Amino acid sequence: MTADDRFTEDYRDAGGDQPLGIRNEIVTGPVADWATDFSHVEPEWAADPYPIQEDLRQRCPIARTERFGGGWLPTRYEEVAAIAYDTERFSSRSVVVSNFRPPREIAPMGAVPPISSDPPFHQHARKLLLPAFTKTAVAKLEPATRAFCHSLIDAFEGRDVVDAARDYAQHIPVRVIADLLGFPEEEGPRFREFVENTLEGVNLPPEERIARLDRLFDYLLLQIRDHVESPRDDLTTHLLNAELGGRKLEPSHVAGTMALLLIAGIDTTWSAIGASLWHLAKTPADRERLVAERGLLPTAMEEFLRAYAPVTMARLVKEDMHWHGVDMKAEDWVLLSFPAANRDPAQFDRPDEVVIDREVNRHAAFGLGVHRCVGSHLARMELRVALEVWLERIPAFTLEDPDAVTWAAGQVRGPRTLPVRIG
């Protein structure tokens, strides 16, 4: 099988009789009790999950829900870390909680490798991506990223109020990932639609959710075919040429990894940038100190990542078991809330305070265990450059209307709208 013939047909049509997985009834509506009925897609969770997490940490460290077909939510660092490192009892074959559990047969690769892959396949799939995300490789992307940030702020001229999320933060990783994958830069709005469909549409009717995900993979297949016809020096061409065990990657592996990079590489980073700007807009003492002490920014960044960690991952329980005081059943979801772990008082001093000069800060914002974020160097570069350029160009800014700030619902939390006054 060559790179040319793998994608002649739509690989999704060639599977024959495949296991169908499990679909569950959609349950919506207000949460009755977060300890027994949690839902991370409800508006109160999106608006401010931290008091909910602290309450659960105190009275019920591992919450339960019957929504999504049943799942668990550990809120202490100890349990989150234990699950993240335990690949024997917890599978990563699906990392986004929804009303659909993919069949066990898709393991060990999963739908979006390597984040959906179980060992030992995971190690090999992850290794393919490492060269693109080293510090050296990321450093080459910094000048263009910095220039793009300046161009975004140039466009603010004459305006007193801008949306720091929609007009700034949400554009930066879109451009970086588009360049990395060799996708058209002007298709940012389409990428944002893919992100929101994938991560926020988990309670949509099955037909609608499938149709939205199909649009993502239809787009990826078009880009793949374009790269087959016109190879270039980018990550898509790298994946097309990559081999595992002496063979080219399966079409589903190529497309799945591209989907992962497009979705996760965008939403996680724009959420971190937006949350950091939100904090600085409402905390003038921290903003003024960072403007005066530029060298403090790397330390402050790590604190923003800890306090406003955007990402919550999921696992599936492999077999029935009694685990840390609860009875987990096979195929139960487990939400690995790295944001909750990062505010555990057993792990961090003054966990609910943002201490921008915090010296010891071993946070879990990029995950824990074998699935720790492969793109952490890239995300840190984008966050640092975005904040450096903003603070250089706009040293004084405040929230225009705190009540107008909205946050994404789902497993990646960050500001969706963030109006700030810059005049």
Side-chain angles (χ1 to χ4, degrees), residues 210-376:
I210 291 169
R212 292 188 179 197
L213 292 176
D214 277 345
R215 286 200 290 273
L216 165 62
F217 282 92
D218 288 344
Y219 176 79
L220 294 175
L221 190 54
L222 286 174
Q223 294 302 320
I224 288 169
R225 287 170 172 166
D226 181 60
H227 278 73
V228 169
E229 294 177 4
S230 304
R232 48 262 206 194
D233 184 16
D234 56 34
L235 193 47
T236 298
T237 298
H238 169 74
L239 289 170
L240 288 170
N241 293 330
E243 296 184 357
L244 280 181
R247 297 184 60 189
K248 299 282 189 181
L249 304 184
E250 293 295 325
S252 57
H253 186 160
V254 175
T257 298
M258 291 168 64
L260 167 65
L261 295 170
L262 187 66
I263 303 301
I266 288 174
D267 198 9
T268 56
T269 306
W270 84 26
S271 295
I273 296 169
S276 301
L277 291 172
W278 172 76
H279 174 84
L280 294 172
K282 73 182 185 69
T283 316
D286 287 350
R287 172 176 52 76
E288 291 165 4
R289 186 175 177 191
L290 286 182
V291 170
E293 301 178 41
R294 299 294 177 88
L296 184 59
L297 183 59
T299 302
M301 271 174 41
E302 298 304 315
E303 180 66 346
F304 298 150
L305 287 167
R306 182 198 68 82
Y308 307 117
V311 179
T312 295
M313 282 288 99
R315 299 288 186 269
L316 284 164
V317 177
K318 288 187 178 181
E319 305 294 343
D320 293 0
M321 62 179 172
H322 187 75
W323 193 88
H324 286 234
V326 299
D327 291 315
M328 294 184 172
K329 300 296 183 183
E331 299 296 272
D332 277 351
W333 293 107
V334 182
L335 267 179
L336 285 186
S337 178
F338 299 120
N342 278 348
R343 289 184 177 235
D344 185 347
Q347 188 73 16
F348 297 95
D349 182 44
R350 295 184 289 163
D352 290 321
E353 295 181 38
V354 178
V355 183
I356 62 171
D357 58 0
R358 188 184 293 269
E359 294 183 0
V360 179
N361 195 353
R362 299 184 66 181
H363 61 73
F366 291 111
L368 298 164
V370 298
H371 287 290
R372 188 182 183 281
C373 177
V374 71
S376 60

Side-chain angles (χ1 to χ4, degrees), residues 69-180:
W72 303 92
L73 172 66
T75 54
R76 298 188 302 198
Y77 189 98
E78 177 185 358
E79 282 84 7
V80 171
I83 295 167
Y85 283 98
D86 189 346
T87 59
E88 293 296 321
R89 290 182 286 187
F90 300 93
S91 172
S92 296
R93 77 177 193 272
S94 185
V95 294
V96 176
V97 170
S98 71
N99 297 298
F100 173 69
R101 288 164 173 76
R104 291 188 178 218
E105 287 80 1
I106 73 166
M109 184 174 80
V112 285
I115 201 170
S116 64
S117 305
D118 291 330
F121 186 90
H122 162 267
Q123 178 183 357
H124 305 299
R126 180 184 175 90
K127 190 175 181 180
L128 293 176
L129 296 178
L130 292 178
F133 294 99
T134 63
K135 287 185 177 180
T136 300
V138 166
K140 296 177 182 177
L141 304 175
E142 181 170 332
T145 304
R146 188 176 299 277
F148 182 60
C149 290
H150 277 290
S151 73
L152 291 171
I153 292 179
D154 288 343
F156 296 167
E157 186 174 358
R159 299 169 62 184
D160 293 329
V161 177
V162 299
D163 190 323
R166 291 188 176 274
D167 297 336
Y168 188 69
Q170 292 178 14
H171 289 275
I172 298 163
V174 167
R175 174 62 66 88
V176 172
I177 293 297
D179 288 346
L180 198 65

Side-chain angles (χ1 to χ4, degrees), residues 18-53:
Q18 294 292 327
L20 298 178
I22 302 170
R23 294 205 176 277
N24 300 103
E25 179 184 357
I26 296 173
V27 180
T28 60
V31 169
D33 180 347
W34 287 94
T36 59
D37 184 41
F38 75 82
S39 174
H40 60 296
V41 297
E42 291 305 301
E44 58 264 50
W45 181 273
D48 189 4
Y50 307 117
I52 299 170
Q53 293 167 0

